[in-house]
Amino acid sequence: MARSLAGFLALFLFVLICGAASLFQPISDSHRSAALELFTPTHGSFKSLEETYEALRTFEVLGIGKKPDVTATACRSISETLGLLTSTPKDLFYALKANSIVKCKINEKTSEGIITRLNTAVNGASSLLDFYYSIGGLVLIKDQTSKADVYLTDAEGVFRSVKAFSQSDGRWRYSSNNPESSAFAAGIALETLAGIVSLASSEMDQSLIITLKNDISKLFDSIEKYDDGALYFDDKLVDGHEHQGPLSTTSSVVRGLTAFAAVTAGSVNLPGDKILGLAKFFLGIGVPGDAKDFFNQIDSLACLESNRVSIPLILSLPSTELSLTKKDSLKVRVNTVLGSNAPPLTVKLVGAFSSGSKDASLVESQELKFDAETGVHILSSLPKSIDVGSYTFVFEIVLHESEHEKVYVTGNQTKVPIFVTGLIKIENAEITVLDGDLGSIETQKNFIHGLISYIYRLDLAGQNVVSLSANHLQKLRISFQLTTPRGRAFKPHQLRHESKIEHIFVVGNSGKQFEILLNFLGLVEKFFYLSGRYDIELAVGDAVMENSLLRAIGHIELDLPEPPEKAPRPPPQPVDPYSRYGPKAEITHIFRAPEKHPPKELSLAFLGLTILPLLGFLVGVLRLGVNLKNFPSKAIPATFAILFHVGIGAVLLLYVLFWLKLDLFQTLKLLGFLGVFLVLVGHRILSHLAAASAKVKSA
């Protein structure tokens, strides 16, 4: 018995490719677009001066020209905050932060008052944050005023007071009453101490500076690392303070480190790779979706861009997918974290390895040619040893001037995942049915006619299909060859067969030849003894294959034996979960046949009988006469009497319309309105008649 839906046979070739290394990109236009979306003022201003500073600082670092104009509202808010005697050191700190960008004019009297208040706050500070806001405010007002006497009289004493919050592991406490320490607090402390050094009236005791540099080294000993080389700091929950995530914690440390390095002589003894690892951490985040996180990322990268420790250089590729068919060139860029041009340097390709392979490098070390116009290092053609596939390229950056090696950090080597694609030749494709006992060929047909010489594109429209038949004693063999553009064998990872009732077969290969041999005698249970027609398709595809194909080969009629009594049954077919949203079957209602009606004459006779009582009533009224002597003579009662009779007439008319035109719901709705109307006017006219009758009786 033929089974056109008994099964579906497909051959599918695919490769799973995993990246072996990570690639970091400098700040791009996507960050500028995101900044305008995240920092949007409401009614011309931001919610606070802190948000105002973060937005303006972000726009300034990214060089965004068409930004929201909040200068007028910001200056007004800054002036109000600086002029209020109730403003806290934190309020003054963020007001001066925002003013460092908008450049509002501060009068001399206000400046003197701010300096006095901040100095008083420094003398009375008891926690790390108290010192941070008051010292930071003094540093900012010093840069924004013409007064030259902004300094700390006892800078070393204040330095030691802040240093008292430090711990032996390089972390800091927020106050002496809180035993918990954190890296976030360490960043705040370093920034505060940098401000104390800049406000000192004389040179600081160098032993204090050396001790602090040792604390920085201890802090960096606890830095954490991702597999891609990114380095970051993270804190556990600290009592009494909101938990800070890795981004805000690392950002705090970077601000403190760069601020301290900027005001002290000599260098901070930190390996350049750790600075590069911090840059990779901020760049690896991508584009944050939160305004605070976005500011922390951009501000930290700006600090790394111009710090005195080491300026990281980032190697990036415009594209990590190269085509052998199109003869793509390998292009490499080297920039700072914010995308600025790098100093003169050379980029070398020192190695190339197949992904997941530990074999020797496939290429020898070679320099990339630098194009001064585009700022790109180019390798015009890939080495002959590089074929289609997934690779890890290893690059090395060499600075031309030895002085730059003290300023910039490039890392030892940079690993980048590269995908090389190309057109794959499919040749000598055959499908064969073999006798199981003799092994002789019963049927053999070339099912991809004309593909042998066809390299660039597959035209499947006019190709023939095959029609085969086999029984359970025979075998089906399918074979073909895959060749890369370099003439090498193309080796995918897996070949599988699928049906509506899924079956999987493993394909063996020898060099360029791929072959699968299906022995139906051993597969009858897998096919659930279902005889009939099986459609066959060939799907050859790969992530690095530019000419993947999916085409029908033909079909095969399988004659399988009858299933035994306890043979496994095919599993139920999966139901499409979206099928319930499709059109439903039309519902056809079957009504009962109407009853047989009486003759028309009989119906009219009964209609006449129902009208006779009404006619009798009308005749009786005419014979007796209408009595109108009790009809009210005054205007208002007469009006209500007329309306009452009109309402009764309207109800009678509504009954007629109900029989002729209206349905029950329409009638009840109108009757409800008329009933309320009749109750009101009827009550008034009956009250009048009752009052008139009472007067007559009393008389």
Side-chain angles (χ1 to χ4, degrees):
M1 181 177 62
R3 291 177 180 268
S4 60
L5 299 177
F8 171 80
L9 185 66
L11 294 175
F12 178 70
L13 194 64
F14 69 98
V15 173
L16 296 175
I17 296 180
C18 299
S22 298
L23 183 63
F24 301 93
Q25 299 286 351
I27 295 300
S28 61
D29 289 337
S30 59
H31 283 80
R32 296 176 177 86
S33 300
L36 293 172
E37 293 180 4
L38 291 174
F39 296 102
T40 303
T42 303
H43 304 298
S45 64
F46 293 97
K47 295 181 180 178
S48 65
L49 286 174
E50 181 178 359
E51 290 188 14
T52 302
Y53 165 71
E54 291 173 354
L56 296 177
R57 170 63 173 166
T58 302
F59 295 151
E60 180 184 56
V61 172
L62 295 178
I64 298 176
K66 296 181 179 180
K67 56 182 180 291
D69 187 8
V70 295
T71 303
T73 55
C75 284
R76 184 164 55 252
S77 180
I78 290 169
S79 298
E80 291 176 357
T81 303
L82 296 180
L84 287 175
L85 297 178
T86 57
S87 296
T88 64
K90 181 179 179 180
D91 297 332
L92 297 175
F93 174 78
Y94 282 111
L96 294 170
K97 276 273 191 181
N99 195 54
S100 65
I101 299 178
V102 296
K103 309 296 184 183
C104 305
K105 186 177 181 180
I106 305 174
N107 61 58
E108 186 174 346
K109 184 177 180 180
T110 302
S111 299
E112 292 177 354
I114 293 172
I115 294 171
T116 302
R117 290 155 61 190
L118 290 176
N119 274 308
T120 303
V122 171
N123 296 330
S126 59
S127 68
L128 180 59
L129 291 177
D130 292 340
F131 283 109
Y132 174 71
Y133 292 125
S134 55
I135 295 294
L138 286 172
V139 173
L140 290 167
I141 194 66
K142 179 181 179 181
D143 297 333
Q144 298 175 30
T145 184
S146 58
K147 294 180 68 64
D149 58 345
V150 182
Y151 60 87
L152 296 173
T153 55
D154 186 16
E156 290 188 2
V158 178
F159 193 102
R160 289 186 171 89
S161 298
V162 177
K163 185 66 174 62
F165 300 128
S166 66
Q167 298 290 85
S168 59
D169 59 355
R171 298 175 183 266
W172 293 63
R173 297 173 297 159
Y174 285 100
S175 67
S176 57
N177 298 327
N178 187 357
E180 298 290 343
S181 60
S182 70
F184 184 86
I188 293 177
L190 290 175
E191 195 172 352
T192 304
L193 294 173
I196 294 173
V197 173
S198 64
L199 294 172
S201 58
S202 59
E203 187 176 356
M204 297 285 296
D205 185 356
Q206 289 303 304
S207 63
L208 297 175
I209 304 298
I210 294 173
T211 302
L212 187 56
K213 289 182 179 180
N214 292 334
D215 290 342
I216 294 174
S217 299
K218 293 177 183 178
L219 177 63
F220 272 79
D221 289 340
S222 62
I223 199 168
E224 300 185 47
K225 182 178 182 180
Y226 287 123
D227 293 338
D228 58 7
L231 301 178
Y232 67 99
F233 292 93
D234 197 8
D235 282 332
K236 61 181 180 179
L237 184 63
V238 179
D239 293 338
H241 293 275
E242 183 181 355
H243 174 65
Q244 304 292 338
L247 178 56
S248 57
T249 301
T250 309
S251 178
S252 174
V253 174
V254 168
R255 289 194 196 97
L257 173 66
T258 54
F260 180 74
V263 298
T264 56
S267 60
V268 180
N269 187 21
L270 283 179
D273 289 343
K274 290 192 175 182
I275 303 299
L276 184 61
L278 292 172
K280 290 180 177 180
F281 170 75
F282 290 113
L283 294 175
I285 295 171
V287 181
D290 178 74
K292 188 71 174 182
D293 290 342
F294 192 92
F295 164 74
N296 284 330
Q297 180 197 41
I298 299 302
D299 187 53
S300 299
L301 290 173
C303 293
L304 294 175
E305 177 91 353
S306 58
N307 74 90
R308 291 186 61 241
V309 183
S310 294
I311 299 176
L313 296 178
I314 303 299
L315 183 144
S316 61
L317 276 69
S319 175
T320 57
E321 183 176 322
L322 306 175
S323 173
L324 289 177
T325 307
K326 300 177 183 178
K327 298 181 180 180
D328 290 340
S329 300
L330 176 63
K331 298 179 180 180
V332 176
R333 295 181 181 273
V334 180
N335 305 94
T336 63
V337 291
L338 294 181
S340 302
N341 293 329
L345 52 81
T346 298
V347 177
K348 294 183 179 180
L349 175 63
V350 296
F353 304 88
S354 296
S355 295
S357 174
K358 296 182 179 179
D359 297 337
S361 174
L362 300 175
V363 300
E364 296 181 356
S365 179
Q366 48 189 308
E367 292 186 4
L368 277 65
K369 184 178 179 181
F370 179 66
D371 185 352
E373 294 184 1
T374 60
V376 176
H377 300 261
I378 302 174
L379 184 64
S380 57
S381 61
L382 294 175
K384 297 295 182 182
S385 57
I386 301 298
D387 209 334
V388 294
S390 173
Y391 298 90
T392 299
F393 281 17
V394 182
F395 297 95
E396 188 175 87
I397 301 175
V398 180
L399 296 168
H400 290 175
E401 299 181 14
S402 57
E403 294 182 358
H404 288 161
E405 295 179 0
K406 301 177 182 179
V407 179
Y408 298 93
V409 56
T410 60
N412 295 328
Q413 293 180 340
T414 304
K415 297 180 180 180
V416 179
I418 299 291
F419 301 97
V420 182
T421 64
L423 294 174
I424 304 297
K425 292 183 181 179
I426 306 175
E427 303 173 306
N428 302 328
E430 294 180 344
I431 184 169
T432 307
V433 175
L434 302 174
D435 288 338
D437 51 353
L438 301 176
S440 61
I441 299 178
E442 175 187 298
T443 308
Q444 180 173 339
K445 298 184 179 181
N446 190 312
F447 64 89
I448 308 184
H449 181 69
L451 283 181
I452 296 177
S453 58
Y454 192 81
I455 297 176
Y456 297 100
R457 186 176 180 183
L458 290 174
D459 183 11
L460 305 177
Q463 296 178 7
N464 62 316
V465 296
V466 299
S467 178
L468 305 173
S469 63
N471 57 42
H472 66 287
L473 298 177
Q474 293 177 308
K475 300 176 182 178
L476 178 69
R477 184 181 71 186
I478 301 175
S479 61
F480 52 90
Q481 293 181 353
L482 300 178
T483 308
T484 67
R486 303 290 197 196
R488 302 184 182 93
F490 183 64
K491 297 180 180 181
H493 291 171
Q494 187 176 1
L495 182 72
R496 74 179 182 184
H497 149 271
E498 292 182 351
S499 65
K500 289 181 180 177
I501 304 168
E502 186 176 19
H503 309 295
I504 297 177
F505 304 95
V506 179
V507 176
N509 70 290
S510 177
K512 302 177 182 179
Q513 187 75 18
F514 289 85
E515 181 178 296
I516 182 172
L517 183 65
L518 302 180
N519 185 357
F520 294 124
L521 181 61
L523 297 174
V524 289
E525 287 193 3
K526 213 167 192 179
F527 287 160
F528 300 104
Y529 295 89
L530 296 176
S531 299
R533 171 169 168 161
Y534 286 74
D535 296 319
I536 307 172
E537 286 187 350
L538 179 68
V540 182
D542 191 276
V544 297
M545 185 176 176
E546 296 178 1
N547 57 330
S548 301
L549 67 89
L550 170 63
R551 61 149 298 179
I553 299 173
H555 65 271
I556 182 170
E557 290 284 344
L558 284 183
D559 183 12
L560 302 180
E562 291 296 325
E565 183 178 353
K566 296 183 179 181
R569 301 183 64 82
Q573 296 299 308
V575 179
D576 184 6
Y578 296 101
S579 61
R580 63 176 178 171
Y581 301 112
K584 304 299 181 183
E586 183 178 357
I587 300 175
T588 303
H589 295 279
I590 301 176
F591 296 94
R592 186 178 63 179
E595 299 290 341
K596 186 177 180 180
H597 289 187
K600 181 178 180 181
E601 293 78 6
L602 182 61
S603 298
L604 292 175
F606 272 95
L607 176 62
L609 291 175
T610 58
I611 295 177
L612 283 177
L614 177 61
L615 293 176
F617 169 75
L618 295 176
V619 171
V621 170
L622 292 175
R623 293 295 302 269
L624 295 174
V626 179
N627 182 10
L628 298 176
K629 64 179 182 179
N630 289 329
F631 197 86
S633 58
K634 295 181 179 181
I636 295 177
T639 302
F640 282 106
I642 294 171
L643 291 176
F644 178 72
H645 287 84
V646 170
I648 293 176
V651 171
L652 295 175
L653 178 62
L654 179 62
Y655 288 160
V656 175
L657 292 175
F658 170 66
W659 287 105
L660 297 177
K661 182 178 181 180
L662 300 179
D663 58 33
L664 179 62
F665 295 103
Q666 292 173 324
T667 303
L668 290 176
K669 182 171 65 175
L670 294 174
L671 186 60
F673 290 114
L674 289 174
V676 173
F677 174 76
L678 284 172
V679 168
L680 294 176
V681 297
H683 179 267
R684 292 296 300 270
I685 189 59
L686 291 176
S687 298
H688 172 74
L689 293 176
S693 176
K695 287 181 179 181
V696 171
K697 291 180 180 180
S698 62

